[in-house]
Amino acid sequence: RDGSLELMVHRRLLKDDGRGVSEPLMENGLGSWVRGRHLVLLDTAQAAAAGHRLLAEQEVLAPQVVLAAGGGAPYNLGGAPRTQFFGLRSELPPSVHLLTLASWGPEMLLLRLEHQFAVGEDSGRNLSAPVTLNLRDLFSTFTITRLQETTLVANQLREAASRLKWTTNTGPAPNQTPYQLDPANITLQPMEIRTFLASVQWKEVDG
């Protein structure tokens, strides 16, 4: 009825519902018990995307607290224990998500960035606009000296990839990626994910 909200977490079905299990769902006894948490955002349609996208990222990527027994060998024998660490020298714009930062060799990293808002999804805070980043000195432990853009899964360079040509009237026009990328001038279009191989120069870090 109006003003009510029903959440159906567990189901008991007498026949297959065609949702992929390929069998009825009939749990014995009281069924399985799962404790979870539901977050409900009440907002206008214009502001909904900014709320649910940013909150979802915060919930999924919340820091994990790990505890261990003391008395073992210190992690870094040459310095005092570190209680704080900042991997970025400055915050990324709220519409940009760092998806991947992984070692690809002694002086090479795999870097994947995502623009997490669609066209026209949030005009109030301008979160749907294209974003240009300076990646050269963004990270605290290394400097990016050279970028090579790859396909999404990083199995071939983007300029060498053979793509099907689609004709469409939706979304922004695809960018013509130059062969030489400037790490200080990387633009992400709405909902775009870009993958790079980054040559880096490591910095000396105290502690």
Side-chain angles (χ1 to χ4, degrees), residues 83-161:
T83 58
Q84 289 186 333
F85 173 76
F86 299 95
L88 299 179
R89 295 169 60 89
S90 60
E91 290 189 15
L92 288 170
S95 56
V96 176
H97 178 205
L98 176 61
L99 279 175
T100 306
L101 183 62
S103 175
W104 214 252
E107 296 182 352
M108 184 82 70
L109 296 174
L110 178 66
L111 175 64
R112 188 175 287 116
L113 296 163
E114 171 195 27
H115 192 309
Q116 56 186 344
F117 284 85
V119 174
E121 201 171 41
D122 184 276
S123 56
R125 295 174 56 188
N126 207 29
L127 295 176
S128 296
V131 178
T132 298
L133 302 171
N134 182 352
L135 304 181
R136 189 184 304 278
D137 292 315
L138 176 64
F139 299 93
S140 62
T141 57
F142 59 86
T143 300
I144 295 178
T145 58
R146 182 170 178 259
L147 278 180
Q148 293 178 284
E149 186 161 11
T150 71
T151 56
L152 182 63
V153 295
N155 62 350
Q156 56 184 323
L157 295 178
R158 181 169 174 176
E159 70 263 13

Side-chain angles (χ1 to χ4, degrees), residues 5-129:
L5 179 66
E6 181 181 13
L7 298 178
M8 299 182 67
V9 180
H10 291 289
R11 301 171 298 161
R12 172 167 284 188
L13 305 175
L14 299 179
K15 61 179 182 178
D16 178 34
D17 62 354
R19 299 297 179 90
V21 181
S22 300
E23 63 182 19
L25 179 59
M26 287 292 292
E27 295 176 335
N28 296 324
L30 297 177
S32 300
W33 287 79
V34 176
R35 297 193 180 276
R37 189 162 63 107
H38 297 276
L39 303 178
V40 179
L41 303 181
L42 303 178
D43 212 329
T44 63
Q46 293 77 13
H52 77 76
R53 288 196 185 279
L54 298 179
L55 181 59
E57 180 184 13
Q58 175 181 321
E59 290 294 316
V60 172
L61 301 178
Q64 300 295 313
V65 178
V66 179
L67 303 178
Y75 179 76
N76 187 347
L77 297 176
R82 178 183 294 239
T83 58
Q84 289 186 333
F85 173 76
F86 299 95
L88 299 179
R89 295 169 60 89
S90 60
E91 290 189 15
L92 288 170
S95 56
V96 176
H97 178 205
L98 176 61
L99 279 175
T100 306
L101 183 62
S103 175
W104 214 252
E107 296 182 352
M108 184 82 70
L109 296 174
L110 178 66
L111 175 64
R112 188 175 287 116
L113 296 163
E114 171 195 27
H115 192 309
Q116 56 186 344
F117 284 85
V119 174
E121 201 171 41
D122 184 276
S123 56
R125 295 174 56 188
N126 207 29
L127 295 176
S128 296

Side-chain angles (χ1 to χ4, degrees), residues 168-182:
T168 178
N169 294 323
T170 61
N175 288 336
Q176 296 297 324
T177 304
Y179 179 72
Q180 293 292 340
L181 293 177
D182 181 5

